[in-house]
């Protein structure tokens, strides 16, 4: 673990990504401390320009809401959705993939057709459909995005399991008389997991972007400030106050970029370790 | 040609169960929406008595068991009847057929831009791995890939439409301009320039990175050393040996990105107010129009299957090992 | 005593720096004589492949090169492909899988002989015929995966000599092939080289294989040249202990007589 961390620090991408994400995480954690009230509350005159009012460092939006408060709470929302989606998608995908890989035969075929079905329909449309049925709240959005994101981990987990189950230690476990479920959980799954975990960065990044798009279209959680909803709000005054749309967008870029960089740095660090081992 | 036909037949056969699963899924979606088609119809009529309601339900088979309703639904789909749009008060199929071409133009142009420019820049980057050009393109493409397409659209509108006034801010053509023929095509192209860029640039970054990685991989292959040992011109080695092999995974990616781009068109069309298929999906959700949304989902699935098939045929044309029984790398 | 095509003087090729520096070739002095068939014998890591790459000018960028290679047999500085042909061990991976073999055989001639693709096409068909690929017309448009290992190696040889180089270097060309095919490839190489008056450097770990047709033998051990001379001399009266070990390990009483011709100098 220490060696990986050290190698991560060596790579410039890893460091850059880590810095970005630490900064954003700090914003997210500081949000309820610095702005404990509702960020959607009206606190000042509408369309106050940034850097004019000490109490409102980035000014206000069209309705008089604090932009900086929105930014920081938006960071919270984005990171939460990103991480939660990754958790759900990876868990569901890993379970289904392992089941398919171990069961084989008809069960495997059927499950893979289901995976195909979820992959054929564009992920964004899946999310739209789910939100339209289940309503718009943050937890619904997490599941809606996971509906499209779980297929990658499922396929990868299945591929890993197919190669693992032929290995000697699995055969040995079977000979000892280990229960199949135990073999699955103790021998197969832990070894299938690392490559699947490598997908985390992509899933988090996708989730952040999809959530932003949903919020932008007005389909996000109306009770939560997100960068997407801020951009949509700012669109109304795009010509006169473009910064209202541009700044939250930069936040999105920074977050996604940070996730990708960290992901690449980690992948390089782990690959280097494997090469040497 | 022969391989293409085999691929097509095989693909159609294997797609049917998947499509059926999608259809069952959309059926469940329809079921979970409040009210059914008859309710929607009555809304458009302005109300009706209970006797009419029961009669209609019976004639449409909507009072039957869920399984019966499913079979009715599937048979309707087989007749290309995608239902009745509640929000637009017209058949779903007609609505989709009207809106789809705009989106296909948008997606087609964006894909062409992303693929051609992306692979070109990727070849430039991959021709000399580790060089300054390579590093700059690598970082630039990663940053571009992190940009949300709708935000990029807004930025492009701000810079090129509002400030510089080079392009229009919205729509697909100048309203009531009465233009025809080539002038109309040019007008549409002018309107589509920014949306195509907003949608395409993200995938450009993706293709750039893939081509670059693919070329780095290809450079290490033995046949590249052999080509160099034949003293061939550098340009020929880069293009005909290295890039030609690096192209293959990109073609596969084209297929995979079709679904993603269809989803991306939803936001881009909303930003630029383009009357397309993607925007229709947004309108369906906003208007609580379940039949329209399910129709859109089914058509999307079919579209993705078709695009994937075309991509696979193209791949088979590019890689002679496919379909001959030998595993490709 | 034939003239030298190339003269290698004090050639050293190394990788890495300081403590981790490894020598692939160390202080090599060797003359490549024109029109002769030189067998370079050694185990893996002995430096024989590095010699091939060094002569061809294809050493990787990280390699540190010291010493010099003179080419008195050429009127101009050597260019790989045109003056030197190179064939590698693994025939499966030497050929580009997505291009037709015809194109891959012809491209050398287009590049170095100034032929247009039509002329190179005819040239390639003739070459495919000479390396005994059945049905050259049909084969021209076929792809590498449609051929066997032995055929692919013959195609690789054809494409390496397409530009009519003076020197042909083959690095373990038969190690990946079975015994029968090995003999065919060796016979083919002998024939081609004799017809075109090419100089041949045949790199192998198998001294018995080389003994069948080499004019000169050079033995490498751990980046150094330990023995060099006319084949008959090296095989019957080896000087260096390593050579003696190689011979005793690979040749026994059941091996057919080595020296068939009387005078070969």
């Amino acid at each position: 673990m220490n060696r990986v961390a050290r190698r991560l620090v060596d790579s410039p991408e890893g460091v850059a990504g880590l810095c970005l994400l630490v900064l954003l995480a700090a914003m997210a954690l500081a949000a309820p401390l610095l702005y404990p009230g509702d960020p959607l509350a009206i606190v000042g005159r509408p369309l106050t320009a940034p850097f004019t009012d000490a109490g409102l460092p980035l000014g206000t939006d069209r309705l008089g809401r604090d932009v900086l408060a929105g930014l920081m709470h938006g960071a919270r929302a984005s990171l939460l959705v990103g991480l939660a989606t990754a958790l759900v998608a990876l868990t569901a995908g890993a379970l289904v993939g392992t089941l398919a890989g171990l069961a084989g035969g008809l069960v495997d075929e059927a499950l893979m057709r289901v995976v195909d079905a979820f992959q054929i329909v564009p992920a964004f449309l899946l999310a739209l459909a789910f939100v339209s049925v289940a309503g718009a709240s943050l937890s619904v959005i997490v599941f809606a995005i996971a509906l499209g994101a779980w297929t990658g981990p499922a396929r990868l987990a299945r591929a890993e399991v197919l190669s693992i189950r032929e290995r000697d230690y699995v055969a040995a476990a079977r000979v000892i008389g280990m229960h199949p479920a135990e073999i699955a959980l103790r021998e197969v799954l832990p070894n299938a997991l690392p490559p699947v975990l490598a997908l985390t960065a992509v899933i988090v990044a996708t989730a952040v972007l999809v959530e932003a798009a949903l919020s932008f279209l007005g389909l996000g959680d109306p009770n939560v400030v997100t960068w997407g909803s801020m951009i949509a709000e700012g669109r109304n005054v795009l010509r006169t106050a473009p910064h209202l749309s541009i700044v939250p967008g930069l936040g999105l870029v920074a977050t996604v970029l940070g996730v990708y960089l960290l992901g690449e740095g980690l992948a390089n660090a782990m690959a280097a370790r494997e090469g040497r081992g | 040609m022969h391989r293409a036909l085999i691929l097509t037949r095989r693909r159609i056969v294997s797609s049917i169960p998947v499509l059926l699963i999608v259809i069952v899924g959309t059926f469940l979606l329809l079921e979970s929406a409040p009210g059914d088609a008859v309710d929607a119809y009555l809304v458009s009529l302005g109300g009706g008595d209970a006797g009419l309601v029961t009669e209609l339900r019976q004639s449409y088979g909507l009072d039957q068991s869920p399984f019966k309703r499913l079979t009715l639904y599937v048979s309707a789909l087989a007749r290309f009847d995608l239902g009745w749009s509640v929000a637009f008060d017209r058949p779903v199929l007609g609505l989709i057929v009207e809106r789809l071409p705009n989106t296909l133009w948008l997606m087609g142009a964006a894909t062409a831009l992303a693929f051609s420019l992306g692979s070109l820049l990727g070849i430039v980057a991959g021709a000399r791995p580790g060089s300054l050009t390579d590093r700059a393109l690598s970082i630039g493409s990663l940053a571009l890939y992190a940009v949300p397409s709708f935000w990029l659209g807004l930025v492009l509108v701000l810079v090129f439409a509002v400030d510089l006034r080079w392009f229009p801010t919205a729509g697909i053509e100048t309203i009531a301009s009465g233009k025809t023929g080539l002038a109309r095509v040019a007008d549409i192209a002018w309107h589509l320039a920014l949306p195509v860029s907003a949608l395409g640039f993200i995938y450009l970054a993706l293709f750039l990175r893939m081509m670059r990685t693919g070329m780095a991989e290809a450079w290490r292959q033995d046949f590249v050393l052999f080509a160099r040992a034949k003293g061939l011109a550098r340009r020929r080695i880069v293009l005909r040996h290295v890039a030609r092999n690096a192209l293959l995974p990109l073609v596969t990616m084209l297929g995979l990105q079709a679904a993603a781009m269809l989803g991306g068109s939803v936001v881009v069309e909303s930003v630029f107010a383009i009357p397309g298929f993607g925007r229709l999906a947004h309108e369906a959700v906003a208007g609580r129009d379940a039949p329209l949304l399910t129709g859109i989902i089914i058509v999307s699935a079919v579209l993705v299957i078709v695009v994937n098939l075309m991509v696979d045929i193209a791949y088979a044309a590019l890689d002679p090992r496919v379909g001959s029984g030998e595993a490709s790398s | 005593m034939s003239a030298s095509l190339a003269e290698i003087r004090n050639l050293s090729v190394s990788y890495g720096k300081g403590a981790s520096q490894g020598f692939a070739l160390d202080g090599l002095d060797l003359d490549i004589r024109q029109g002769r068939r030189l067998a370079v014998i050694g185990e893996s890591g002995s430096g024989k492949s590095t010699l091939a790459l060094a002569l061809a000018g294809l050493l990787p960028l990280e390699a540190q090169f010291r010493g010099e290679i003179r080419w008195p047999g050429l009127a101009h500085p050597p260019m790989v492909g045109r003056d030197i042909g190179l064939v590698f061990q693994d025939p499966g991976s030497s050929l580009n899988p997505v291009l037709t073999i015809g194109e891959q055989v012809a491209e050398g001639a287009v590049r170095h002989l100034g032929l247009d693709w039509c002329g190179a096409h005819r040239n390639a068909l003739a070459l495919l015929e000479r390396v005994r690929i059945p049905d050259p017309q049909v084969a021209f448009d076929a792809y590498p995966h449609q051929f066997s290992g032995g055929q692919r190696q013959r195609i690789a040889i054809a494409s390496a000599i397409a530009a009519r180089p003076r020197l042909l270097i083959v690095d373990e060309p038969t190690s990946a092939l079975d015994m029968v095919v090995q003999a065919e490839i060796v016979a083919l190489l002998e024939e081609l080289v004799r017809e075109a008056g090419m100089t041949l450097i045949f790199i192998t770990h198998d001294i018995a294989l080389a003994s069948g047709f080499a004019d000169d033998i050079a033995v490498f051990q751990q980046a150094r040249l330990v023995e060099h001379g006319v084949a008959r001399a090296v095989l019957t009266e080896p000087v260096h202990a390593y050579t003696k070990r190689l011979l005793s390990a690979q040749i026994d009483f059941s091996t057919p007589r080595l020296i068939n011709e009387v005078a070969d100098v």
Side-chain angles (χ1 to χ4, degrees), chain A residues 194-214:
Chain A
V196 178
L197 286 176
L199 291 175
T200 312
V202 174
I203 297 179
V204 171
T206 312
V208 169
L209 288 173
V210 172
E211 184 280 319
L214 284 172

Side-chain angles (χ1 to χ4, degrees), chain C residues 5-203:
Chain C
L5 176 63
E7 289 165 2
I8 303 170
R9 294 288 173 266
N10 202 23
L11 176 64
S12 289
V13 177
S14 56
Y15 297 90
K17 282 196 248 288
S20 60
Q21 184 177 39
F23 280 89
L25 280 176
D26 198 359
L28 175 65
D29 284 310
L30 183 64
D31 282 352
I32 313 290
R33 284 159 52 191
Q34 276 191 69
R36 308 266 298 175
R37 293 166 294 189
L38 168 69
V40 171
I41 316 282
E43 295 162 4
S44 32
S46 55
K48 50 196 210 298
S49 293
T50 311
L51 174 62
L53 291 177
L55 281 170
L58 287 175
L59 287 172
L61 290 169
E62 321 84 74
Q64 292 140 25
F65 181 106
R66 251 184 299 272
E68 66 165 326
I69 305 178
R70 294 193 286 259
W71 295 84
L74 293 174
H76 43 254
M79 182 171 165
V80 71
R82 181 186 61 190
D83 306 304
I84 307 169
L86 199 43
V87 175
F88 297 108
Q89 171 176 348
D90 185 358
S93 52
S94 289
L95 298 173
N96 188 338
V98 300
L99 300 178
T100 60
I101 60 138
E103 185 179 346
Q104 296 185 61
V105 174
E107 55 187 353
V110 170
R111 167 80 168 142
H112 299 292
L113 296 180
L115 299 173
D116 62 349
W117 279 99
C118 244
H121 182 124
R122 277 192 299 264
N123 190 24
L125 287 176
L127 279 167
L128 286 173
E129 183 110 33
R130 248 164 84 204
V131 298
R132 290 192 221 109
I133 295 292
D135 250 330
Q137 301 270 22
V138 176
F140 191 91
D141 294 316
Y143 293 92
H145 70 271
Q146 294 169 277
F147 295 92
S148 71
Q151 287 173 324
R152 275 185 272 198
Q153 196 60 304
R154 283 187 266 152
I155 293 167
I157 293 171
S159 60
I161 64 173
R164 300 181 203 143
R166 295 275 299 279
L167 170 65
L168 179 63
I169 308 176
V170 290
D171 187 354
E172 304 263 21
T174 57
S175 311
L177 306 167
D178 63 55
M179 296 288 290
V180 177
V181 181
Q182 252 184 39
E184 282 174 14
I185 301 285
V186 170
L188 176 65
L189 281 170
E190 263 195 286
E191 196 183 301
L192 288 172
V193 162
R194 198 190 352 249
E195 264 174 38
M198 277 190 271
T199 311
L200 176 70
I201 300 180
F202 190 102
I203 301 176

Side-chain angles (χ1 to χ4, degrees), chain A residues 215-243:
Chain A
S215 302
F216 177 75
L217 290 178
L219 298 167
D221 192 333
N223 303 315
V224 178
V225 175
T226 61
W227 287 334
S229 61
M230 288 175 77
I231 297 177
E233 253 302 311
R235 190 181 169 195
N236 294 311
V237 287
L238 194 61
R239 290 170 201 245
T240 47
H243 67 281

Side-chain angles (χ1 to χ4, degrees), chain B residues 42 55 85 96 99 103 109 121 125 132 148 156 167 169 190 196 202 208 220 240 277 287-288 297-298 304 327:
Chain B
L42 286 176
E55 202 182 294
S85 160
I96 290 179
R99 300 281 206 103
T103 303
L121 288 173
L132 204 63
L156 288 174
F167 296 98
T169 53
W190 184 54
V196 165
I202 319 287
L208 197 163
R220 282 184 286 190
R240 200 83 179 117
F277 184 71
R288 307 198 150 281
I297 290 178
I298 292 175
V304 171

Side-chain angles (χ1 to χ4, degrees), chain B residues 26-43:
Chain B
T26 56
F27 176 72
L28 291 171
L29 183 65
L30 270 178
E31 290 282 298
S32 59
D36 57 16
V38 172
D39 290 318
Y41 182 55
L42 286 176
V43 165

Side-chain angles (χ1 to χ4, degrees), chain B residues 321-327:
Chain B
R321 294 166 289 183
V322 169
S324 63
E326 166 154 332

Side-chain angles (χ1 to χ4, degrees), chain A residues 113-114 116-117 120 122 124-125 129 132-133 209 212-213 216-217 219 231 235 238 242 245-246 249 252 256-257 260-261 264, chain B residues 18 21-22 29 32 142-143 145-146 148 150-151 154 158 209 259 262-263 266 270-271 281-282 285 293 297 300-301 304-305:
Chain A
R113 294 301 135 247
V114 172
D116 282 339
I120 281 189
F124 198 67
L125 288 181
S132 76
V133 165
L209 288 173
F216 177 75
L217 290 178
L219 298 167
I231 297 177
R235 190 181 169 195
L238 194 61
S245 285
I246 293 187
L252 284 168
V256 176
L257 193 56
Y260 280 140
L261 285 172
E264 227 172 76
Chain B
V18 179
I21 296 177
V22 174
L29 183 65
S32 59
L142 191 61
Y145 196 53
F150 61 90
W151 184 76
L154 284 178
L158 205 57
R209 295 181 71 75
L262 203 51
V266 176
S270 296
V271 169
H282 181 203
V285 175
L293 189 58
I297 290 178
S300 302
V304 171
I305 291 175

Side-chain angles (χ1 to χ4, degrees), chain B residues 3 245 248 315-316 319-329, chain C residues 97-98 145:
Chain B
R3 275 189 301 161
N245 272 273
L248 296 175
Y315 189 95
D319 188 346
R321 294 166 289 183
V322 169
S324 63
E326 166 154 332
S328 56
S329 57
Chain C
V98 300
H145 70 271

